[in-house]
Amino acid sequence: RKEVEQDPGPFNVPEGATVAFNCTYSNSASQSFFWYRQDCRKEPKLLMSVYSSGNEDGRFTAQLNRASQYISLLIRDSKLSDSATYLCVVRPLTGGFKTIFGAGTRLFVKA
Amino acid sequence: NAGVTQTPKFQVLKTGQSMTLQCAQDMNHEYMSWYRQDPGMGLRLIHYSVGAGITDQGEVPNGYNVSRSTTEDFPLRLLSAAPSQTSVYFCASSKGAQNTGELFFGEGSRLTVL
């Protein structure tokens, strides 16, 4: 089993739709969680950190469920510019270099 | 502010050739790392460094060497290229030796080994 698993998609949604991605992780020692965004043939960039209490940044909401070992990303009012691959990233308490990346979920937002 | 700069952006090699991917950052970050990204897989850590003169292996180090003579530079050397090393390579850096914050990536280097 992969340490971090994501549905590869693609998710095809119309503009204005709400879409949610989940990411499951297997290491219960994981302590830090992030969502990165990667545009086609570009480098990953940090979208947002995921806090235990959940957090929101504009149209984006991230949630953490430690009991079930998953994190989620909700995108409201999707824009064409949201089309990208979203990478789930987890980091255990034991070592900062042991950052584990999921393979990503592809999102296409259509007009 | 240049951030993390990688060169070259594209490279084609023949099996057995050697080459060096260059990575430089101008943010005075202590932590630097090299990842490879293959279709259907997450980024995998090749080597990392927590400061000048200190390097260590990541998840997939075989066939690669690194050095860190300065804070700014972290080159990745392919010793004898193999087709299995065809991939996209990303250099990333983070403030602080423990890599607890945001990772900043270079634009990537696309390598094809024939």
Side-chain angles (χ1 to χ4, degrees), chain A residues 52-91:
Chain A
S52 296
S53 55
N55 49 300
E56 188 174 305
D57 183 1
R59 298 181 292 107
F60 299 85
T61 300
Q63 296 281 351
L64 167 63
N65 186 317
R66 287 191 184 274
S68 300
Q69 294 186 200
Y70 76 85
I71 66 172
S72 63
L73 178 67
L74 180 77
I75 305 175
R76 292 182 300 277
D77 189 22
S78 298
K79 312 292 185 188
L80 295 176
S81 57
D82 293 334
S83 297
T85 297
Y86 291 84
L87 308 178
C88 169
V89 181
V90 303
R91 181 180 295 155

Short mmCIF file of all heavy atoms in Angstrom, two decimals, chain A residues 52-91:
data_model
loop_
_atom_site.label_atom_id
_atom_site.label_comp_id
_atom_site.label_asym_id
_atom_site.label_seq_id
_atom_site.Cartn_x
_atom_site.Cartn_y
_atom_site.Cartn_z
N SER A 52 -5.19 21.10 11.96
CA SER A 52 -6.06 20.13 12.62
C SER A 52 -7.51 20.59 12.70
O SER A 52 -8.44 19.79 12.61
CB SER A 52 -5.55 19.84 14.04
OG SER A 52 -4.28 19.24 13.99
N SER A 53 -7.69 21.89 12.87
CA SER A 53 -9.04 22.44 13.03
C SER A 53 -9.69 22.74 11.68
O SER A 53 -10.81 23.23 11.63
CB SER A 53 -8.98 23.71 13.86
OG SER A 53 -8.08 24.63 13.27
N GLY A 54 -8.97 22.46 10.59
CA GLY A 54 -9.48 22.82 9.27
C GLY A 54 -9.17 24.28 8.99
O GLY A 54 -9.06 25.09 9.90
N ASN A 55 -9.00 24.60 7.74
CA ASN A 55 -8.70 25.99 7.40
C ASN A 55 -9.19 26.32 6.01
O ASN A 55 -9.39 25.44 5.17
CB ASN A 55 -7.21 26.30 7.54
CG ASN A 55 -6.30 25.29 6.87
OD1 ASN A 55 -6.32 24.10 7.21
ND2 ASN A 55 -5.53 25.73 5.90
N GLU A 56 -9.40 27.61 5.81
CA GLU A 56 -10.02 28.09 4.58
C GLU A 56 -9.16 29.22 4.02
O GLU A 56 -8.61 30.04 4.77
CB GLU A 56 -11.42 28.61 4.90
CG GLU A 56 -12.26 28.97 3.71
CD GLU A 56 -13.69 29.33 4.12
OE1 GLU A 56 -14.34 28.50 4.78
OE2 GLU A 56 -14.12 30.45 3.81
N ASP A 57 -9.04 29.24 2.69
CA ASP A 57 -8.32 30.32 2.02
C ASP A 57 -9.12 30.67 0.77
O ASP A 57 -8.99 30.02 -0.26
CB ASP A 57 -6.91 29.86 1.65
CG ASP A 57 -6.09 30.98 1.02
OD1 ASP A 57 -6.62 32.11 0.89
OD2 ASP A 57 -4.93 30.74 0.66
N GLY A 58 -9.98 31.66 0.92
CA GLY A 58 -10.82 32.05 -0.21
C GLY A 58 -11.78 30.93 -0.57
O GLY A 58 -12.57 30.47 0.24
N ARG A 59 -11.67 30.45 -1.80
CA ARG A 59 -12.57 29.39 -2.28
C ARG A 59 -12.11 27.99 -1.89
O ARG A 59 -12.79 27.01 -2.19
CB ARG A 59 -12.67 29.48 -3.80
CG ARG A 59 -13.25 30.78 -4.32
CD ARG A 59 -13.35 30.80 -5.83
NE ARG A 59 -12.04 30.82 -6.48
CZ ARG A 59 -11.51 29.78 -7.11
NH1 ARG A 59 -12.16 28.63 -7.20
NH2 ARG A 59 -10.32 29.89 -7.69
N PHE A 60 -10.99 27.89 -1.23
CA PHE A 60 -10.39 26.61 -0.89
C PHE A 60 -10.53 26.31 0.60
O PHE A 60 -10.24 27.16 1.43
CB PHE A 60 -8.90 26.60 -1.28
CG PHE A 60 -8.66 26.81 -2.74
CD1 PHE A 60 -8.60 28.08 -3.28
CD2 PHE A 60 -8.50 25.72 -3.59
CE1 PHE A 60 -8.40 28.27 -4.65
CE2 PHE A 60 -8.28 25.91 -4.94
CZ PHE A 60 -8.23 27.18 -5.47
N THR A 61 -10.96 25.09 0.90
CA THR A 61 -11.09 24.64 2.29
C THR A 61 -10.38 23.31 2.44
O THR A 61 -10.61 22.39 1.65
CB THR A 61 -12.56 24.49 2.70
OG1 THR A 61 -13.23 25.74 2.56
CG2 THR A 61 -12.66 24.01 4.14
N ALA A 62 -9.53 23.21 3.44
CA ALA A 62 -8.81 21.97 3.72
C ALA A 62 -9.26 21.42 5.06
O ALA A 62 -9.48 22.17 6.01
CB ALA A 62 -7.31 22.22 3.73
N GLN A 63 -9.41 20.11 5.13
CA GLN A 63 -9.82 19.44 6.36
C GLN A 63 -8.90 18.28 6.64
O GLN A 63 -8.37 17.65 5.72
CB GLN A 63 -11.26 18.92 6.23
CG GLN A 63 -12.32 19.98 6.04
CD GLN A 63 -12.71 20.67 7.34
OE1 GLN A 63 -12.31 20.24 8.41
NE2 GLN A 63 -13.48 21.74 7.23
N LEU A 64 -8.73 17.97 7.92
CA LEU A 64 -7.91 16.84 8.36
C LEU A 64 -8.76 15.94 9.24
O LEU A 64 -9.43 16.42 10.16
CB LEU A 64 -6.69 17.34 9.14
CG LEU A 64 -5.90 16.30 9.92
CD1 LEU A 64 -5.29 15.25 9.00
CD2 LEU A 64 -4.82 16.97 10.76
N ASN A 65 -8.75 14.66 8.98
CA ASN A 65 -9.42 13.68 9.82
C ASN A 65 -8.37 12.67 10.27
O ASN A 65 -8.02 11.74 9.54
CB ASN A 65 -10.54 12.98 9.03
CG ASN A 65 -11.35 12.04 9.90
OD1 ASN A 65 -10.81 11.30 10.73
ND2 ASN A 65 -12.67 12.07 9.72
N ARG A 66 -7.86 12.87 11.47
CA ARG A 66 -6.77 12.01 11.96
C ARG A 66 -7.26 10.60 12.26
O ARG A 66 -6.55 9.63 12.07
CB ARG A 66 -6.13 12.61 13.21
CG ARG A 66 -5.27 13.82 12.95
CD ARG A 66 -4.47 14.20 14.19
NE ARG A 66 -3.70 15.42 13.98
CZ ARG A 66 -2.49 15.45 13.45
NH1 ARG A 66 -1.91 14.32 13.07
NH2 ARG A 66 -1.85 16.60 13.32
N ALA A 67 -8.48 10.49 12.74
CA ALA A 67 -9.01 9.16 13.11
C ALA A 67 -9.07 8.25 11.90
O ALA A 67 -8.74 7.06 11.97
CB ALA A 67 -10.39 9.32 13.75
N SER A 68 -9.49 8.80 10.77
CA SER A 68 -9.61 8.02 9.54
C SER A 68 -8.40 8.19 8.63
O SER A 68 -8.35 7.59 7.55
CB SER A 68 -10.88 8.41 8.78
OG SER A 68 -12.02 8.17 9.57
N GLN A 69 -7.46 9.02 9.04
CA GLN A 69 -6.21 9.24 8.32
C GLN A 69 -6.45 9.69 6.88
O GLN A 69 -5.98 9.06 5.91
CB GLN A 69 -5.30 8.00 8.38
CG GLN A 69 -4.83 7.71 9.80
CD GLN A 69 -3.82 6.57 9.89
OE1 GLN A 69 -3.65 6.00 10.96
NE2 GLN A 69 -3.16 6.24 8.82
N TYR A 70 -7.17 10.79 6.76
CA TYR A 70 -7.29 11.40 5.44
C TYR A 70 -7.37 12.90 5.57
O TYR A 70 -7.74 13.45 6.60
CB TYR A 70 -8.48 10.83 4.65
CG TYR A 70 -9.84 11.32 5.06
CD1 TYR A 70 -10.36 12.52 4.55
CD2 TYR A 70 -10.63 10.59 5.93
CE1 TYR A 70 -11.62 12.97 4.91
CE2 TYR A 70 -11.89 11.02 6.30
CZ TYR A 70 -12.37 12.21 5.79
OH TYR A 70 -13.62 12.64 6.15
N ILE A 71 -6.99 13.57 4.49
CA ILE A 71 -7.18 15.00 4.37
C ILE A 71 -8.00 15.26 3.11
O ILE A 71 -8.08 14.42 2.22
CB ILE A 71 -5.85 15.80 4.32
CG1 ILE A 71 -5.07 15.47 3.05
CG2 ILE A 71 -5.01 15.50 5.54
CD1 ILE A 71 -3.84 16.37 2.87
N SER A 72 -8.66 16.39 3.10
CA SER A 72 -9.51 16.72 1.96
C SER A 72 -9.26 18.16 1.52
O SER A 72 -8.78 18.99 2.29
CB SER A 72 -10.98 16.52 2.31
OG SER A 72 -11.37 17.41 3.35
N LEU A 73 -9.60 18.41 0.26
CA LEU A 73 -9.54 19.75 -0.31
C LEU A 73 -10.84 20.01 -1.03
O LEU A 73 -11.24 19.22 -1.89
CB LEU A 73 -8.37 19.89 -1.28
CG LEU A 73 -8.23 21.24 -1.98
CD1 LEU A 73 -7.85 22.32 -0.97
CD2 LEU A 73 -7.20 21.17 -3.10
N LEU A 74 -11.50 21.08 -0.65
CA LEU A 74 -12.77 21.48 -1.28
C LEU A 74 -12.53 22.77 -2.04
O LEU A 74 -11.99 23.72 -1.49
CB LEU A 74 -13.84 21.68 -0.21
CG LEU A 74 -15.23 22.09 -0.70
CD1 LEU A 74 -15.95 20.88 -1.27
CD2 LEU A 74 -16.06 22.70 0.44
N ILE A 75 -12.94 22.78 -3.29
CA ILE A 75 -12.85 23.99 -4.11
C ILE A 75 -14.26 24.42 -4.48
O ILE A 75 -15.01 23.66 -5.10
CB ILE A 75 -12.02 23.74 -5.39
CG1 ILE A 75 -10.64 23.18 -5.06
CG2 ILE A 75 -11.90 25.05 -6.19
CD1 ILE A 75 -9.82 22.82 -6.29
N ARG A 76 -14.62 25.62 -4.07
CA ARG A 76 -15.95 26.16 -4.40
C ARG A 76 -15.85 27.10 -5.58
O ARG A 76 -14.80 27.70 -5.84
CB ARG A 76 -16.51 26.92 -3.19
CG ARG A 76 -16.85 26.05 -2.00
CD ARG A 76 -17.44 26.92 -0.86
NE ARG A 76 -16.49 27.92 -0.43
CZ ARG A 76 -15.51 27.67 0.45
NH1 ARG A 76 -15.38 26.46 0.96
NH2 ARG A 76 -14.69 28.62 0.79
N ASP A 77 -16.96 27.23 -6.32
CA ASP A 77 -17.03 28.17 -7.44
C ASP A 77 -15.81 28.01 -8.36
O ASP A 77 -15.04 28.96 -8.58
CB ASP A 77 -17.11 29.61 -6.90
CG ASP A 77 -17.39 30.62 -7.98
OD1 ASP A 77 -17.94 30.25 -9.04
OD2 ASP A 77 -17.06 31.81 -7.77
N SER A 78 -15.62 26.82 -8.87
CA SER A 78 -14.43 26.50 -9.68
C SER A 78 -14.24 27.48 -10.83
O SER A 78 -15.20 27.88 -11.50
CB SER A 78 -14.55 25.08 -10.23
OG SER A 78 -14.61 24.13 -9.20
N LYS A 79 -12.98 27.83 -11.06
CA LYS A 79 -12.59 28.69 -12.17
C LYS A 79 -11.79 27.89 -13.19
O LYS A 79 -11.18 26.87 -12.85
CB LYS A 79 -11.73 29.87 -11.68
CG LYS A 79 -12.26 30.61 -10.47
CD LYS A 79 -13.52 31.37 -10.80
CE LYS A 79 -13.96 32.22 -9.61
NZ LYS A 79 -15.30 32.83 -9.85
N LEU A 80 -11.77 28.37 -14.42
CA LEU A 80 -10.96 27.71 -15.45
C LEU A 80 -9.51 27.59 -14.99
O LEU A 80 -8.82 26.60 -15.26
CB LEU A 80 -11.02 28.48 -16.77
CG LEU A 80 -12.38 28.54 -17.46
CD1 LEU A 80 -12.29 29.43 -18.70
CD2 LEU A 80 -12.86 27.15 -17.84
N SER A 81 -9.05 28.62 -14.27
CA SER A 81 -7.65 28.66 -13.82
C SER A 81 -7.35 27.66 -12.71
O SER A 81 -6.18 27.49 -12.34
CB SER A 81 -7.31 30.07 -13.34
OG SER A 81 -8.20 30.47 -12.31
N ASP A 82 -8.39 27.01 -12.18
CA ASP A 82 -8.15 25.97 -11.16
C ASP A 82 -7.70 24.65 -11.79
O ASP A 82 -7.29 23.73 -11.08
CB ASP A 82 -9.41 25.72 -10.34
CG ASP A 82 -9.81 26.91 -9.47
OD1 ASP A 82 -8.92 27.71 -9.11
OD2 ASP A 82 -11.02 27.04 -9.17
N SER A 83 -7.78 24.54 -13.10
CA SER A 83 -7.36 23.32 -13.78
C SER A 83 -5.88 23.07 -13.52
O SER A 83 -5.03 23.90 -13.85
CB SER A 83 -7.60 23.43 -15.30
OG SER A 83 -8.97 23.57 -15.57
N ALA A 84 -5.59 21.94 -12.90
CA ALA A 84 -4.23 21.62 -12.48
C ALA A 84 -4.25 20.24 -11.84
O ALA A 84 -5.29 19.60 -11.74
CB ALA A 84 -3.71 22.66 -11.47
N THR A 85 -3.08 19.80 -11.41
CA THR A 85 -2.98 18.58 -10.59
C THR A 85 -2.72 19.00 -9.16
O THR A 85 -1.87 19.86 -8.89
CB THR A 85 -1.84 17.68 -11.10
OG1 THR A 85 -2.14 17.24 -12.43
CG2 THR A 85 -1.70 16.45 -10.20
N TYR A 86 -3.46 18.40 -8.23
CA TYR A 86 -3.36 18.75 -6.82
C TYR A 86 -2.66 17.60 -6.08
O TYR A 86 -3.13 16.46 -6.10
CB TYR A 86 -4.75 19.05 -6.26
CG TYR A 86 -5.31 20.32 -6.84
CD1 TYR A 86 -5.97 20.31 -8.08
CD2 TYR A 86 -5.13 21.54 -6.20
CE1 TYR A 86 -6.43 21.49 -8.65
CE2 TYR A 86 -5.60 22.72 -6.77
CZ TYR A 86 -6.24 22.69 -8.00
OH TYR A 86 -6.70 23.85 -8.56
N LEU A 87 -1.55 17.95 -5.46
CA LEU A 87 -0.71 16.96 -4.78
C LEU A 87 -0.93 17.02 -3.28
O LEU A 87 -0.84 18.10 -2.67
CB LEU A 87 0.78 17.24 -5.07
CG LEU A 87 1.20 17.39 -6.53
CD1 LEU A 87 2.69 17.69 -6.61
CD2 LEU A 87 0.87 16.14 -7.32
N CYS A 88 -1.19 15.87 -2.70
CA CYS A 88 -1.31 15.75 -1.26
C CYS A 88 0.08 15.46 -0.70
O CYS A 88 0.80 14.62 -1.25
CB CYS A 88 -2.28 14.61 -0.96
SG CYS A 88 -2.35 14.06 0.73
N VAL A 89 0.47 16.14 0.36
CA VAL A 89 1.81 15.99 0.91
C VAL A 89 1.72 15.80 2.42
O VAL A 89 1.03 16.57 3.09
CB VAL A 89 2.68 17.23 0.59
CG1 VAL A 89 4.09 17.05 1.15
CG2 VAL A 89 2.72 17.48 -0.90
N VAL A 90 2.40 14.78 2.92
CA VAL A 90 2.41 14.54 4.36
C VAL A 90 3.84 14.47 4.85
O VAL A 90 4.75 14.07 4.12
CB VAL A 90 1.63 13.26 4.74
CG1 VAL A 90 0.21 13.31 4.22
CG2 VAL A 90 2.33 12.01 4.25
N ARG A 91 4.03 14.85 6.08
CA ARG A 91 5.36 14.89 6.66
C ARG A 91 5.28 14.35 8.07
O ARG A 91 4.51 14.83 8.88
CB ARG A 91 5.88 16.32 6.66
CG ARG A 91 7.28 16.49 7.23
CD ARG A 91 7.66 17.96 7.16
NE ARG A 91 7.79 18.42 5.78
CZ ARG A 91 7.64 19.69 5.42
NH1 ARG A 91 7.34 20.61 6.31
NH2 ARG A 91 7.77 20.02 4.16
#
